[in-house]
Amino acid sequence: MNDRTNPARRGPAGGGPRLVGTVVCALLLALGHLVTGYLAFLAYTVGPAGPWDIEGLAHAKYAAAVGLALAVVTALLSWVFVKAEWVGRGWFAAPAVLAVVALLRLTLLAPPL
């Protein structure tokens, strides 16, 4: 018997499309986390140069706010992909951590002016 006629050796039904869906979802989420992490990094590294630099403060807040919005979007995408069983529940960790990091930069760790 070859692999085509032996159902035990073929693997789960729909394995090909499911694998492609998993890879595409994982790449999409990884790209979203990478962009969100970069914005969080910018939010912490960009700051006012002194008491006169209102623009530096605005840029840090803007980067943190956009990072928080992207963390929410990737969390929602993760929820959809987990519900469809394309990725595992571990994909919820990265958007949660990035959302907390961005929220802290907007509130408790906001750059002083």
Side-chain angles (χ1 to χ4, degrees):
M1 283 186 143
N2 60 17
D3 289 346
R4 293 183 191 178
T5 58
N6 187 358
R9 300 219 33 199
R10 278 191 286 176
R18 182 177 171 87
L19 178 65
V20 170
T22 300
V23 169
V24 169
C25 292
L27 287 175
L28 184 63
L29 288 176
L31 179 65
H33 299 327
L34 185 67
V35 172
T36 306
Y38 179 69
L39 285 171
F41 172 74
L42 283 180
Y44 278 91
T45 56
V46 173
W52 65 89
D53 192 13
I54 300 288
E55 288 180 14
L57 179 65
H59 291 150
K61 286 185 177 183
Y62 179 73
V66 173
L68 180 61
L70 281 175
V72 169
V73 169
T74 55
L76 290 173
L77 279 174
S78 297
W79 178 73
V80 169
F81 296 157
V82 167
K83 207 65 161 148
E85 296 180 357
W86 286 330
V87 295
R89 292 183 187 262
W91 285 93
F92 287 128
V97 168
L98 290 170
V100 168
V101 165
L103 194 59
L104 282 174
R105 184 60 171 172
L106 283 172
T107 56
L108 298 176
L109 301 176
L113 184 61

